[in-house]
Amino acid sequence: MGGMLALPPGQGPHQVGCTDVMVGHTRQGLFLRLFYPCLPRAGATEPLWVPRPEYCGGLADVTLGRRWCSALLGIAIGSCKVPVSWNGPLKPRSSGYPLIIFSHGLGAFRTLYSSICTELASWGFVVAALEHRWVPGSPPEAGTEEWIPFQRVPQGQKEFYFRNKQVHLRAQECVRALRLFQSIAGGRSVPSILPQDWDLSVLKDNLDLSKVAVMGHSFGGVTAVLALVKEPSFRCAVALDAWMFPLEKLLYPEVPSPVLFINTEKFQTPESVAKMKRLSSRNSQTRIVTVLGTVHEDQTDFAFLPGKLFSLIFGRRGTLEPRRALAISSRAALAFLHRHLKLQEQFGQWDELLEGVGDSVAPAAPFGRSRL
């Protein structure tokens, strides 16, 4: 029984394993959830979707604006599991797996995109879903556990300057995550702080770090775009419903690599789409598509909540069936990654999605607005 949320298993040829990785306690540390192709094993356990009850308090605060709903949310979703093998053994691959660094949205955390991360891993990717730890302000004390609250814009500070600083910190964290995997591939020992059975060194001969992409949703979408400016090893970016507001205009000519923007129907503004189009005018390989019948939250795991609970938390939900929406987004991403990471798979079969051709997709972007 998976509580009130039923996340779909990956549809690709690989079973999917999952583990948490934490290195370093301070600002220079990293915390991420790793999704990867794994070997089947008897008695595999599935991880909780919300790893700790404290996250429910944060979710209640951000989504409902009411922290007292935390207990109700905990009852509704606290026992939900992700359909992956916790600490399952990595499936070896001599040519190495391509790597995706994934950045979450504002007020989110590393596990809220488990459905898309699981799907991509099932098609032969290692996906590192970051839990962003950097916030503007002072670093925590080393060795202490600190919960980072949702960062509202301080009184008297302009939203752009606050969020712009934050997006630069997050993009830098994506680059640090890539450095972690480069260290592992180079044979350096990287001790994880968390007690676990999973040894990071198994990745040493199973990653192809010439094939690396960055991906994210909402604030994470614009983080992925900025990460391309900071790190040439990221060959392309996939931006799910990117909130383009925090990116300074000076950077638009500087984005060197192609971006796939996958938008929902109800979130984007003309200003945001104009920024995407400015990027596509600079890079002929950049693509903008819209998934019709979807709202902003449909690109998160929340899409798989029962209708009544979803509506209570977010208001209106999209009309497109969530599994269908996930299939469109993941197939478009796979076709794009196939093209720009030069993969040997059959993902080119979904190329038409990149032109906005197919059921429930459209090129470029219709407009509607929901709050972040």
Side-chain angles (χ1 to χ4, degrees), residues 128-249:
L130 281 174
E131 183 144 319
H132 287 292
R133 305 209 281 180
W134 274 26
V135 290
S138 58
E141 293 293 313
T144 61
E145 181 177 282
E146 181 182 65
W147 288 86
I148 298 173
F150 174 61
Q151 298 287 298
R152 290 192 165 81
V153 179
Q155 195 122 28
Q157 224 183 89
K158 283 200 162 53
E159 185 175 28
F160 173 80
Y161 295 108
F162 184 77
R163 295 302 181 202
N164 175 257
K165 188 174 180 182
Q166 197 175 8
V167 76
H168 276 271
L169 292 173
R170 285 191 174 197
Q172 201 55 51
E173 202 167 11
C174 291
V175 176
R176 284 215 325 284
L178 173 59
R179 297 282 178 268
L180 169 70
F181 291 102
Q182 288 170 333
S183 292
I184 293 166
R188 283 195 285 289
S189 169
V190 179
S192 178
I193 288 164
L194 303 174
Q196 67 194 58
D197 312 326
W198 213 81
D199 180 4
L200 285 171
S201 68
V202 300
L203 291 168
K204 178 178 177 297
D205 300 314
N206 289 290
L207 287 175
D208 182 349
L209 294 183
S210 69
K211 296 177 168 45
V212 184
V214 60
M215 185 171 181
H217 174 251
S218 195
F219 198 80
V222 74
T223 300
V225 173
L226 181 56
L228 292 180
V229 178
K230 293 187 181 289
E231 178 49 60
S233 296
F234 289 127
R235 304 275 289 278
C236 61
V238 177
L240 302 171
D241 230 4
W243 186 45
M244 298 299 284
F245 169 77
L247 205 58
E248 59 266 47
K249 289 188 176 66

Side-chain angles (χ1 to χ4, degrees), residues 274-286 288:
K275 291 179 173 183
M276 294 175 189
K277 287 186 169 165
R278 199 174 312 152
L279 283 185
S280 66
S281 70
R282 305 248 169 209
N283 190 317
S284 63
Q285 292 298 311
T286 286
I288 309 168

